[in-house]
């Protein structure tokens, strides 16, 4: 049995691991990846100590620092559930194995939101993508749809204007991204914008062939021939494994006190999965440090 | 056991970097195809392996779409 299990290895989880190790806690770090959302960030200019560093490189540096300490690490593992036991908590991973600890820190961050329309699940990896910077080049010379109206959708559109034949930008709302990006994108000759339109279905047998959209005002439906659908509609917190036991807010974020306590004693949370304001690398790292120190205090009280 | 590992990538894809790091860390050689530049490889990935996302990782008749460390470990017997 561990004293502490940390779930998630983004900036919050890895910082918590270092602080836990320095308090000589017997701790385990479990995560599906190392680096979390920062892996998707090209240039970071606001993490102190580095004037400009690429996201993946910054996370490699975090990882190196974690490895300086004798802390058990399991990566490539998805956590299925977390439950309370008489002595603390049990964390069950997707493979079925489980681990026990007296205290837990949830630092699982956020992941891309899905559209939840027919065809999306079936055509994932067959033209439906959530990583425009990854898969963009695959659609060179083809027609694509980008779904979303915020900065990530606009950045994807800006990138695809140079690569694709034609781009359909479909947003449920008016644009919510920065004006500078809106100007760049809407000026492109190979771009058609559908604001206040919803996606009803993604169609195709083995590949994406077209999407069906509907104008929210006129209710008029139409189909667009595309071979790629880039879904860029924001992020949702990875709070599913704990949703039955802790208090979440209306966005699905874990509610924490300023000392990173959740509604369950011994269960702490840090970083983007929580309701702490401002989703920033430096904030997540700081929250991770606070959570580990608070968990240490909690464990000390338990043993007294 | 000898395996021929092929990884289809784009230079901007973080999961491709993670996949390459995983193979390097486990001492397994691989051939990389940058589909942003290599059009023939792009067509091969799309048509032969029916994949429209990177990384696509192929070895011993297996085609893994995306980087999933747990699944890779299992298929490679690591």
């Amino acid at each position: 049995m561990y004293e502490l299990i940390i779930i998630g290895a983004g900036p919050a989880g890895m910082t918590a691991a270092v602080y836990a190790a320095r308090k000589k806690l017997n701790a385990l770090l479990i995560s599906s990846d190392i680096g979390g959302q920062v892996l998707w960030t090209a240039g970071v200019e606001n993490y102190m100590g580095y004037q400009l560093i690429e996201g993946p490189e910054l996370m490699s540096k975090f990882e190196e620092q974690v490895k300086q300490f004798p802390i058990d690490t399991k990566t490539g593992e998805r956590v299925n559930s977390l439950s309370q036991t008489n002595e603390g908590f049990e964390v069950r991973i997707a493979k079925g194995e489980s681990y026990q600890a007296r205290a837990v820190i949830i630092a699982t961050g956020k992941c891309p939101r899905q559209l939840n329309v027919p065809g999306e699940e079936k055509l994932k990896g067959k033209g439906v993508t959530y990583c425009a910077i990854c898969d963009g080049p695959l659609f060179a010379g083809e027609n694509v749809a980008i779904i979303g109206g915020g900065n990530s959708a606009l950045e994807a559109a800006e990138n695809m204007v140079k690569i694709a034949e034609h781009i359909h930008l479909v947003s449920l709302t008016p644009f919510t991204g920065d004006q500078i990006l809106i100007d760049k994108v809407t000026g492109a000759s190979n771009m058609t914008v559908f604001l206040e339109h919803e996606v009803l279905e993604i169609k195709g047998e083995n590949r994406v062939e077209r999407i069906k959209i509907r104008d929210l005002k006129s209710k008029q439906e139409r189909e667009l021939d595309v071979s790629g659908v880039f879904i860029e509609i924001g992020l949702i917190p990875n709070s599913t494994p704990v949703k039955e036991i802790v208090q979440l807010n209306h966005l699905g974020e874990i509610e924490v006190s300023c000392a990173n306590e959740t509604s369950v004693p011994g269960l702490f949370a840090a970083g983007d999965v929580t309701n702490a304001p401002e989703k920033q690398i430096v904030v997540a790292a700081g929250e991770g440090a606070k959570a580990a120190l608070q968990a240490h205090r909690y464990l000390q009280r338990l043993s007294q | 056991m000898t395996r021929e590992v092929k990884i289809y990538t784009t230079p901007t894809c973080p999961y491709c970097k993670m996949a390459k790091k995983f193979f390097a860390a486990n001492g397994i050689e691989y051939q990389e195809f940058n589909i942003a530049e290599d059009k023939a490889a792009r067509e091969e990935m799309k048509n032969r392996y029916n994949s429209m996302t990177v990384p696509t990782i192929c070895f011993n008749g297996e085609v893994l779409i995306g980087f999933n460390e747990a699944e890779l470990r299992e298929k490679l017997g690591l």
Side-chain angles (χ1 to χ4, degrees), chain A residues 49-276:
Chain A
Y50 303 94
Q51 284 171 22
L52 171 65
I53 186 165
E54 281 193 12
E57 195 191 340
L58 181 61
M59 288 301 96
S60 291
K61 289 184 183 293
F62 271 54
E63 186 184 4
E64 277 167 34
Q65 195 159 347
V66 171
K67 283 184 174 163
Q68 301 297 310
F69 297 94
I71 183 165
D72 284 356
T73 306
K74 293 213 171 287
T75 57
E77 303 293 357
R78 227 160 252 291
V79 167
N80 257 8
S81 68
L82 176 89
S83 51
Q84 285 178 276
T85 64
N86 286 338
E87 291 179 300
F89 301 92
E90 182 176 79
V91 175
R92 193 171 286 280
I93 61 173
K95 268 192 233 157
E97 293 157 39
S98 61
Y99 304 93
Q100 287 80 34
R102 290 186 208 287
V104 170
I105 297 174
I106 316 280
T108 44
K110 290 194 162 164
C111 66
R113 182 191 298 276
Q114 301 202 350
L115 266 177
N116 290 324
V117 297
E120 180 182 18
E121 193 61 37
K122 185 182 94 174
L123 294 165
K124 240 182 225 176
K126 315 273 181 215
V128 172
T129 174
Y130 303 87
C131 183
I133 58 162
C134 299
D135 296 331
L138 260 165
F139 299 92
E142 301 193 29
N143 296 336
V144 300
I146 295 167
I147 317 300
N151 278 339
S152 51
L154 289 163
E155 278 163 16
E158 187 192 7
N159 181 41
M160 289 312 289
V161 160
K162 294 170 244 162
I163 301 174
E165 172 74 17
H166 196 91
I167 298 110
H168 301 283
L169 185 57
V170 182
S171 173
L172 198 56
T173 59
F175 284 126
T176 55
D178 297 341
Q179 193 60 43
I180 187 165
L181 277 170
I182 298 171
D183 292 345
K184 267 189 199 169
V185 162
T186 50
S189 60
N190 57 343
M191 167 85 58
T192 313
V193 177
F194 296 94
L195 295 179
E196 294 176 79
H197 278 67
E198 64 179 330
V199 178
L200 297 176
E201 188 178 357
I202 301 170
K203 294 182 171 185
E205 276 308 308
N206 294 315
R207 296 271 177 85
V208 169
E209 290 165 19
R210 68 193 84 86
I211 62 169
K212 190 187 205 181
I213 63 171
R214 178 164 62 192
D215 188 326
L216 291 181
K217 284 183 188 146
S218 70
K219 305 289 175 207
Q220 193 191 342
E221 293 180 6
R222 69 163 83 199
E223 293 200 346
L224 307 170
D225 289 336
V226 292
S227 54
V229 182
F230 294 71
I231 299 171
E232 298 286 347
I233 53 171
L235 301 163
I236 51 166
N238 292 318
S239 55
T240 311
V242 294
K243 70 174 198 286
E244 304 297 336
I245 61 172
V246 298
Q247 182 81 40
L248 306 179
N249 70 7
H250 68 289
L251 299 170
E253 296 168 336
I254 300 172
E255 288 193 352
V256 289
S257 70
C258 61
N260 298 87
E261 298 149 311
T262 68
S263 55
V264 178
L267 184 56
F268 300 83
D272 283 12
V273 74
T274 73
N275 65 338

Side-chain angles (χ1 to χ4, degrees), chain A residues 124-129 134-135 138-139 207, chain B residues 4-11 13-20 23 30-36 41-68 71-72:
Chain A
K124 240 182 225 176
K126 315 273 181 215
V128 172
T129 174
C134 299
D135 296 331
L138 260 165
F139 299 92
R207 296 271 177 85
Chain B
E4 190 190 319
V5 179
K6 296 200 274 188
I7 310 181
Y8 295 87
T9 65
T10 58
C13 151
Y15 279 110
C16 301
K17 292 194 179 89
M18 285 158 68
K20 289 190 286 179
F23 278 98
Y30 59 85
Q31 241 188 312
E32 181 182 3
F33 299 93
N34 172 5
I35 58 109
R42 188 194 307 159
E43 292 309 311
E44 183 175 62
M45 183 182 114
K46 281 190 196 174
N47 299 323
R48 182 167 168 200
Y49 298 116
N50 194 28
S51 167
M52 294 290 278
T53 200
V54 287
T56 294
I57 303 167
C58 312
F59 56 89
N60 293 355
E62 301 273 2
V63 180
L64 303 186
I65 296 176
F67 175 66
N68 177 333
E71 192 184 7
L72 258 179

